[in-house]
Amino acid sequence: MKKIISNIIGGLAGAIALNIIHQTVKAVDHDAPRVDLVGEEALTKGMESMGLTPPTGNALFLATLTGDVLSNALFYSTIGFGKKTYLLLRGAAVGLSAGIGAVTLPDRMGLSDAPVTRTDKTKLMTVAWYLIGGLVTAFTIKSIRAKAD
């Protein structure tokens, strides 16, 4: 049970770090990835396909942000499973795979990939932010477990 709790806390820390970076950098750099726009499009299309009216404006942003934090926290929490010897390596691998997925999957899912592929710099930042989230998760889990021992 302690392992699951440390995984969830670590995953949440990584997801929050990822979103803080996204929100901060998009305010100061025109080339910053706009994963939030991809998420908003996905939520809108998904709700419309079910015959529901999607939220708009700030409500759409908050719904997307909440879903993003929760889904990334769940995904990042998987970093804590397996041998502790490879925790940081798993953090990097999961973060890199999430970043590469964020760049390559939107178009394949029928979504606009422009917010994350606009420039090479945008693509690199997208992958880097998810990598950082994975590493924050791994370090958080490692720290929690070290204090528990």
Side-chain angles (χ1 to χ4, degrees), residues 67-108:
D68 188 54
V69 169
L70 293 175
S71 62
N72 282 318
L74 181 62
F75 183 66
Y76 282 146
S77 72
T78 64
I79 291 167
F81 294 107
K83 294 182 179 182
K84 69 178 180 180
T85 308
Y86 302 109
L87 187 61
L88 297 178
L89 181 60
R90 275 194 312 280
V94 167
L96 281 173
S97 67
I100 292 167
V103 171
T104 61
L105 292 177
D107 183 53
R108 295 175 188 190

Side-chain angles (χ1 to χ4, degrees), residues 4-135:
I4 292 173
I5 292 171
S6 68
N7 291 357
I8 292 169
I9 293 169
L12 190 57
I16 290 170
L18 168 66
N19 279 282
I20 288 172
I21 293 167
H22 273 297
Q23 296 306 313
T24 302
V25 178
K26 83 174 187 181
V28 297
D29 190 335
H30 176 71
D31 289 328
R34 294 296 308 274
V35 178
D36 55 317
L37 298 179
V38 177
E40 289 177 1
E41 181 185 4
L43 180 61
T44 298
K45 284 186 173 184
M47 289 185 72
E48 288 173 346
S49 74
M50 294 185 290
L52 302 171
T53 303
T56 59
N58 283 339
L60 176 60
F61 174 77
L62 289 174
T64 303
L65 180 63
T66 300
D68 188 54
V69 169
L70 293 175
S71 62
N72 282 318
L74 181 62
F75 183 66
Y76 282 146
S77 72
T78 64
I79 291 167
F81 294 107
K83 294 182 179 182
K84 69 178 180 180
T85 308
Y86 302 109
L87 187 61
L88 297 178
L89 181 60
R90 275 194 312 280
V94 167
L96 281 173
S97 67
I100 292 167
V103 171
T104 61
L105 292 177
D107 183 53
R108 295 175 188 190
M109 296 170 61
L111 303 170
S112 172
D113 65 353
V116 291
T117 63
R118 190 171 39 259
T119 67
D120 287 341
K121 179 181 172 184
T122 307
K123 293 175 195 175
L124 182 62
M125 283 192 282
T126 302
V127 175
W129 299 168
Y130 282 93
L131 171 61
I132 291 168
L135 292 173

